[in-house]
Amino acid sequence: MYDAYGTGEELELFTYALEKWLPEAPKGIPDSMKHLYRVTIDFYDKLEEELEMQGKSGCGSHFKKSLKSTANGYMQEAKWLRKDYTAKFDEYKENAILSSAYYTMMAMTFAGMGDFTKLDAFEWLSSHPKIRVAYDIICRFTNDISSYKFEHKREHVATCIDCYMKQFCVSKERAVQVITNIVSNAWKDLNQELMRPHSFRLPFLIRILTFRVSSMFFIGIQTLTPTPSS
């Protein structure tokens, strides 16, 4: 919706409504977006109610916070696209932590961890711990590299590769090499956090690691799957 279908005005309205958590979809957006908004609000409200009934007060607000964070990351990329603006590499990297959407998905996986799922887990996840930031960078940059050719077949916001190429006036090959090194260092950060005795509770750290491995498998499938035009 954000990178292919919504207009700038529609996305602004949608994001504002989500940020304020309005009970009804805003006027001025198409029916398809209104439907998506209603389904999203209803799902998260019901999830929050269920968690409250389980004695997990406050956890639901963190789910909503993670979703808003992702939407704001998407909105920033939509603004860059409308302005035909190629962000500085550090700008892109900072926003990628939001627009990767892995914060939202990781919060959801925490919800299914039974008695382990308590408010402190979501407070920790939302505080940008080093392991989560490393995870976000690995996922987003790896995805950018693997989907680079496909994304350039349509109008799309500049990827981390484009941002690095323009800012530092280097070839695509050099940009990919540097970004691959960044991903490697992020893997080191992730592994170090797993081994540190004072890191957060191990089941959550392992969940982040296993979710990352499954994401790598999914990206591999995307890369190997032919596009309709091929």
Side-chain angles (χ1 to χ4, degrees):
M1 183 183 74
Y2 274 89
D3 66 0
Y5 299 106
T7 66
E9 183 179 355
E10 291 167 354
L11 295 174
E12 290 276 7
L13 290 170
F14 186 93
T15 307
Y16 175 82
L18 199 62
E19 184 66 39
K20 298 298 182 181
W21 209 258
L22 301 180
E24 297 295 333
K27 297 179 180 179
I29 62 175
D31 289 343
S32 57
M33 291 176 70
K34 288 180 180 179
H35 176 70
L36 176 61
Y37 185 85
R38 286 192 294 265
V39 169
T40 302
I41 294 295
D42 183 58
F43 173 79
Y44 276 83
D45 281 345
K46 287 182 177 178
L47 178 60
E48 184 173 34
E49 290 176 11
E50 184 176 331
L51 290 168
E52 291 287 337
M53 291 175 62
Q54 294 174 7
K56 299 175 181 178
S57 180
C59 293
S61 65
H62 280 278
F63 283 111
K64 295 176 181 178
K65 178 181 178 180
S66 70
L67 182 67
K68 294 175 185 179
S69 174
T70 299
N72 285 321
Y74 287 161
M75 190 68 243
Q76 181 60 73
E77 290 188 349
K79 289 178 180 178
W80 287 340
L81 179 60
R82 294 206 311 273
K83 295 178 181 178
D84 194 24
Y85 173 68
T86 301
K88 299 293 186 183
F89 183 73
D90 284 344
E91 280 183 303
Y92 183 91
K93 183 177 178 182
E94 182 178 355
N95 192 66
I97 294 172
L98 307 179
S99 65
S100 69
Y102 285 99
Y103 172 29
T104 306
M105 290 187 280
M106 187 55 59
M108 280 294 175
T109 70
F110 279 17
M113 295 181 68
D115 293 338
F116 282 108
T117 307
K118 296 179 181 178
L119 182 59
D120 66 335
F122 297 104
E123 290 176 339
W124 171 77
L125 188 65
S126 68
S127 69
H128 296 274
K130 190 175 183 179
I131 191 171
R132 201 205 97 191
V133 173
Y135 177 89
D136 289 334
I137 293 301
I138 292 168
C139 292
R140 187 54 192 270
F141 284 8
T142 302
N143 186 67
D144 276 6
I145 293 171
S146 66
S147 64
Y148 184 82
K149 289 184 180 179
F150 170 75
E151 299 294 5
H152 280 72
K153 292 179 179 179
R154 62 188 176 101
E155 187 180 31
H156 193 272
V157 69
T159 67
C160 64
I161 299 171
D162 300 307
C163 295
Y164 196 92
M165 288 171 62
K166 182 172 182 179
Q167 182 175 349
F168 298 104
C169 299
V170 299
S171 66
K172 175 197 166 188
E173 289 72 24
R174 175 57 181 163
V176 170
Q177 181 183 31
V178 172
I179 293 165
T180 300
N181 288 338
I182 292 173
V183 170
S184 266
N185 288 331
W187 267 113
K188 292 176 184 177
D189 289 341
L190 189 150
N191 290 332
Q192 286 171 358
E193 289 301 295
L194 285 168
M195 293 186 290
R196 284 200 307 150
H198 56 284
S199 288
F200 200 65
R201 294 198 298 274
L202 187 60
F204 292 101
L205 301 178
I206 295 299
R207 177 58 60 96
I208 291 177
L209 176 64
T210 55
F211 194 67
R212 173 59 199 136
V213 172
S214 65
S215 299
M216 287 178 65
F217 176 76
F218 176 68
I219 290 173
I221 292 297
Q222 284 184 308
T223 305
L224 294 172
T225 301
T227 60
S229 60
S230 61

